[in-house]
Each structure stands twice: as structure tokens, then as C-alpha cells.
Amino acid sequence: QQQVKQSPQSLIVQKGGIPIINCAYENTAFDYFPWYQQFPGKGPALLIAIRPDVSEKKEGRFTISFNKSAKQFSLHIMDSQPGDSATYFCAATPNSGGSNYKLTFGKGTLLTVNP
Amino acid sequence: DVKVTQSSRYLVKRTGEKVFLECVQDMDHENMFWYRQDPGLGLRLIYFSYDVKMKEKGDIPEGYSVSREKKERFSLILESASTNQTSMYLCASRNRGLYGYTFGSGTRLTVV
């Protein structure tokens, strides 16, 4: 059972474009939504994360938009660069009240930014 | 800088072999995780451990076991490797009370 649905599976944009990656979830207990960036041959690295008490979070060129009522969140990359070419994963985890919660990941989006 | 180190980047094993994948973290993290990554399937949780000698099954534990005798080390064991276990294996750790994971660089296992 996939609890976090991510789209698109792949995305190609030109340098300077604004790629948008979308994720949807079903579990209303989720309360932390990170995005991970993975370059070839490397493990995923935390890029940016959001809690549901805010609708948007921005860090540099990366922005998360969050819609709690629709149970959706998305990643926007402003002024994209070829160096942003990577696989991006959204994820979610519930606040179980303890510390043993785990992340559930989307299936990933392969982003290619052409020069 | 925090580190999660996976002992091998590439492994080739034969069907039926017992395979050990090792992961060590130097951050004194309590929680450790093993994922496998396959094209189109994303990251799927195999097992996780929230403390020494503690373990819980993830979403796809069949054919795998784990061992955590010391806080810094979390081992994934393939009791009898099969070709459908050919994959990228990723280890991660997380400190209690914090959300973010730190991942290792992965072990690409090929079972022939």
C-alpha cells in the first residue's frame, strides 16, 4: 500500500525553468514532510522539510508548498540549474507520540535540467 | 560532519550465498534503517532498529534479517541470496526526537 504518491516519474526542463514535483498522501497522522535529493552514486540527502502548520517554506531556490485540506505538497525549484539534475524523493512521517516513527517515501522523480 | 558508512560500494554474490551488508554511523544515533532502492519503486523499508538489540520489520522484510549488537553498527543479512535481491541497499540513521535521516552512499548488490 503506497501511502505517498509522487508525480511525475521524470521531468525535463531548460535551465532557468521552474520544475514542480507533486506528492499526495492519505494518512492524516503524517505531520512532517521532507524532500530528499539524490545524485548518482550517492545516498539521498535532506533538502528541505515542512510541518503542516505552515503553507509554504522557502530555502534558497527551493520552496515547498503545502495544502493540508487536499493532503498534497509540492517542491518548486526556482531558476533551475544543470547542477539540480538529480532524483528527488518526497516523504512523510507521523508523530506517533514516541520516537520510533519512520519515513515513508514516494517513488521518486528524476529531474533533468538541460543547459 | 556526520557520517553513515556502508562497508562496500559494490558486491557480487552467488545465488544461495549468505550475504552481510554492514553499516556504521559515528553520530551516536539511536535509530537505524535499511532500505532497498529499485527503479520505479523508490525507497522501500526492509528493517529498522530503534535501539541496540531492538529491531522491527519494515515493509519488505522477507528474505532478510538484521543484527544490531552495538549502537553504531547495523547489519543486514541475506540468509540465502536470490537474484530478486539484486538492488541498491541504503542504510540510514536518525537521532531520537529528530526527524531527518542521514543516509550512507549505498551498496549495489548483484546476485548471479
Side-chain angles (χ1 to χ4, degrees), chain A residues 26-92:
Chain A
E26 299 169 356
N27 188 345
T28 55
F30 286 153
D31 79 335
Y32 174 74
F33 303 89
W35 286 88
Y36 283 79
Q37 180 188 54
Q38 184 182 29
F39 294 107
K42 301 288 187 181
L46 180 64
L47 182 64
I48 185 173
I50 196 168
R51 299 290 301 274
D53 51 347
V54 296
S55 60
E56 185 175 281
K57 183 173 181 180
K58 182 180 292 188
E59 288 186 5
R61 295 184 293 106
F62 299 91
T63 299
I64 300 178
S65 298
F66 187 84
N67 185 330
K68 188 174 181 179
S69 60
K71 292 187 285 186
Q72 296 175 347
F73 59 109
S74 59
L75 177 69
H76 303 232
I77 305 176
M78 308 301 289
D79 186 27
S80 59
Q81 301 296 312
D84 296 328
S85 297
T87 299
Y88 292 82
F89 292 95
C90 63

Side-chain angles (χ1 to χ4, degrees), chain A residues 32 36 38 41 99 102-103, chain B residues 9 35 37 45 94 99 101:
Chain A
Y32 174 74
Y36 283 79
Q38 184 182 29
S99 64
K102 56 192 186 294
L103 285 172
Chain B
R9 291 299 305 273
Y35 286 85
Q37 181 176 11
L45 182 64
R94 184 181 68 88
Y99 290 97
Y101 285 20

Side-chain angles (χ1 to χ4, degrees), chain A residues 9 31-32 36 38 41-46 51 87 89 93-95 99-108, chain B residues 9 31 33 35 37 40-43 45 48 50 57-59 90 94 96-101 103-106:
Chain A
Q9 189 171 355
D31 79 335
Y32 174 74
Y36 283 79
Q38 184 182 29
K42 301 288 187 181
L46 180 64
R51 299 290 301 274
T87 299
F89 292 95
T93 189
N95 180 2
S99 64
N100 300 329
Y101 39 82
K102 56 192 186 294
L103 285 172
T104 298
F105 287 88
K107 292 187 176 182
Chain B
R9 291 299 305 273
N31 303 159
F33 308 83
Y35 286 85
Q37 181 176 11
L41 297 179
L43 299 167
L45 182 64
F48 67 105
Y50 49 88
K57 294 180 180 179
D59 300 318
L90 289 162
R94 184 181 68 88
R96 185 187 187 103
L98 300 179
Y99 290 97
Y101 285 20
F103 280 90
S105 293

Side-chain angles (χ1 to χ4, degrees), chain B residues 3 5 7 22-23 25-27 30 34 40 42 52 56 64-65 72 74 77 82 90-91 98 108:
Chain B
K3 265 193 169 179
T5 303
S7 56
E22 305 290 342
C23 175
Q25 50 97 358
D26 65 359
M27 300 164 282
E30 296 192 349
W34 275 105
V52 177
E56 281 198 26
Y64 304 94
S65 62
E72 67 270 19
F74 191 34
I77 304 158
S82 64
L90 289 162
C91 176
L98 300 179
R108 185 166 293 282

